[in-house]
């Protein structure tokens, strides 16, 4: 049985390869580090900052070992490997002539102390040719959860850090999807995060509200709020994203399970009151 480990990466880092073999099993591993990027906003556009480094993920398939665990009163579990003396005879599953045996899927994540213990995420199975694509959506869903999504931009009008009492303060975002490319089991795949809803909070104690609308600038604005008194406030935006994937060469995007959220905020906004005053006619008219 041949096991292949692939890292889920976003950028053009060169992967490192390593491998092991034991009896009739061979495991080959390619690991690529992931790096997030922060972008500063310009011209009144304020962006949140994602983490600078994310945990890489590596996956591989192999025929699992069936291990006897003494602390579970004789129960058996599938595992990547077993302690000496705990492995039971196991020849793998038997499939029909028109099916292909696929090894169990294991994965690890790199954390500050090194790689986590291997986790069984999919048991081995018999797949017909038509069902073999079942692996890609499941792996794409995991890649979406690992994806570092750039937070939505947040633009405020008026743009100079102040606004007036009882006058509309406008907010909007870009509404654009975020896309990254990776490989899943050696197949080039695009992963896309699509904004599905926006939750706006104008920071003055008024209730937050959600829309599917990213808003627009004046005069076609659709997201606005009138402050009722002087003070200061920070506008915040939470974007909810849904995931999609497509295989290289295929124009069709397919949904994956799960959601992700990002947070963005404006700078502090001064809320002032405009007052009319009578002034002396300096020209004596």
């Amino acid at each position: 049985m041949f096991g292949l480990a692939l890292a889920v990466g976003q950028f053009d880092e060169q992967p490192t390869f390593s491998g092991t073999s034991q009896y009739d099993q061979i495991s080959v591993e390619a690991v690529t580090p992931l790096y997030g990027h922060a972008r500063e906003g310009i011209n009144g556009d304020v962006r949140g900052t994602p983490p600078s480094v994310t945990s890489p993920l590596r996956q591989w398939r192999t025929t699992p070992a069936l291990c006897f665990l003494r602390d579970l009163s004789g129960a058996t579990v599938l595992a990547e490997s077993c302690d000496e003396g705990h492995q039971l005879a196991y020849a793998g599953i038997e499939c029909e002539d028109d099916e292909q045996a696929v090894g169990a899927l294991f994965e690890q994540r790199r954390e500050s102390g090194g790689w986590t213990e291997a986790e069984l995420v999919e048991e081995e199975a018999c797949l017909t040719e038509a069902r073999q694509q079942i692996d890609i959506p499941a792996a794409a869903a995991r890649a979406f959860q690992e994806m570092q999504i750039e937070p939505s931009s947040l633009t405020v009008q008026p743009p100079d850090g102040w606004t007036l009492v009882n006058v509309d303060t406008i907010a909007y975002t870009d509404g654009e999807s975020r896309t990254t490319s990776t490989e899943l089991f050696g197949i080039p795949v695009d992963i896309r995060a699509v904004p599905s809803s926006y939750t706006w909070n104008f920071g003055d104690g008024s209730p937050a509200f959600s829309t599917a609308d990213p808003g627009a600038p004046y005069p076609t604005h659709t997201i606005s709020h009138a402050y009722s008194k002087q003070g200061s406030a920070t506008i915040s935006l939470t974007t909810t994203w849904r995931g999609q994937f497509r295989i290289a060469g295929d124009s069709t995007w397919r949904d994956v399970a799960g959601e992700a959220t990002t947070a963005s905020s404006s700078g502090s906004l001064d809320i002032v009151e405009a007052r009319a005053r009578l002034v002396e006619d300096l020209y004596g008219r």
Side-chain angles (χ1 to χ4, degrees):
M1 177 64 67
F2 179 78
L4 177 61
L6 288 168
V8 178
Q10 297 186 55
F11 303 104
D12 293 331
E13 294 287 334
Q14 292 297 317
T16 57
F17 293 88
S18 61
T20 60
S21 62
Q22 182 177 10
Y23 304 110
D24 61 344
Q25 296 188 9
I26 300 175
S27 294
V28 179
E29 177 183 298
V31 179
T32 303
L34 307 184
Y35 298 93
H37 288 261
R39 298 201 320 184
E40 296 182 356
I42 57 174
N43 195 26
D45 180 331
V46 182
R47 297 182 184 268
T49 303
S52 58
V53 179
T54 183
S55 298
L57 171 74
R58 62 185 182 185
Q59 302 171 327
W60 67 95
R61 286 193 176 276
T62 187
T63 300
L66 194 59
C67 305
F68 175 81
L69 301 183
R70 293 174 179 168
D71 57 347
L72 293 181
S73 303
T76 56
V77 296
L78 294 175
E80 177 198 10
S81 59
C82 299
D83 295 336
E84 184 176 357
H86 285 188
Q87 185 167 349
L88 306 180
Y90 183 62
I93 58 175
E94 295 184 2
C95 299
E96 300 294 336
D97 292 341
D98 61 344
E99 294 178 326
Q100 178 180 347
V102 216
L105 179 65
F106 292 88
E107 70 180 25
Q108 291 176 294
R109 289 176 173 80
R110 186 187 294 280
E111 297 180 350
S112 56
W115 289 103
T116 61
E117 292 291 329
E119 178 183 359
L120 176 68
V121 293
E122 286 181 16
E123 293 189 3
E124 59 182 342
C126 294
L127 299 182
T128 64
E129 184 176 354
R131 292 179 56 213
Q132 287 176 27
Q133 291 193 23
I134 212 168
D135 286 333
I136 297 298
R142 288 187 292 272
F144 170 66
Q145 294 299 323
E146 296 288 328
M147 181 179 176
Q148 290 295 290
I149 303 172
E150 179 187 6
S152 300
S153 64
L154 178 55
T155 303
V156 178
Q157 292 179 321
D160 299 322
W162 63 271
T163 189
L164 295 175
V165 171
N166 296 324
V167 175
D168 278 349
T169 299
I170 300 166
Y172 62 93
T173 185
D174 53 74
E176 297 176 355
S177 301
R178 311 290 193 248
T179 304
T180 188
S181 297
T182 186
E183 285 193 354
L184 302 176
F185 308 112
I187 301 173
V189 175
D190 294 327
I191 307 295
R192 182 168 73 173
V194 181
S196 57
S197 68
Y198 307 93
T199 300
W200 310 85
N201 189 328
F202 279 82
D204 62 344
S206 59
F209 59 95
S210 297
T211 68
D213 178 13
Y218 178 87
T220 59
H221 57 283
T222 55
I223 307 296
S224 64
H225 177 70
Y227 291 99
S228 60
K229 59 183 180 181
Q230 298 181 76
S232 62
T234 298
I235 301 173
S236 61
L237 168 64
T238 300
T239 305
T240 301
W241 308 81
R242 59 187 176 88
Q244 295 183 322
F245 79 97
R246 68 179 179 188
I247 297 173
D250 186 354
S251 61
T252 302
W253 288 96
R254 295 174 172 82
D255 293 335
V256 300
E259 290 183 334
T261 59
T262 58
S264 312
S265 62
S266 69
S268 182
L269 189 65
D270 292 327
I271 307 164
V272 299
E273 188 173 16
R275 297 183 179 179
R277 298 189 298 180
L278 293 175
V279 296
E280 180 182 356
D281 185 352
L282 300 179
Y283 296 96
R285 291 178 293 185

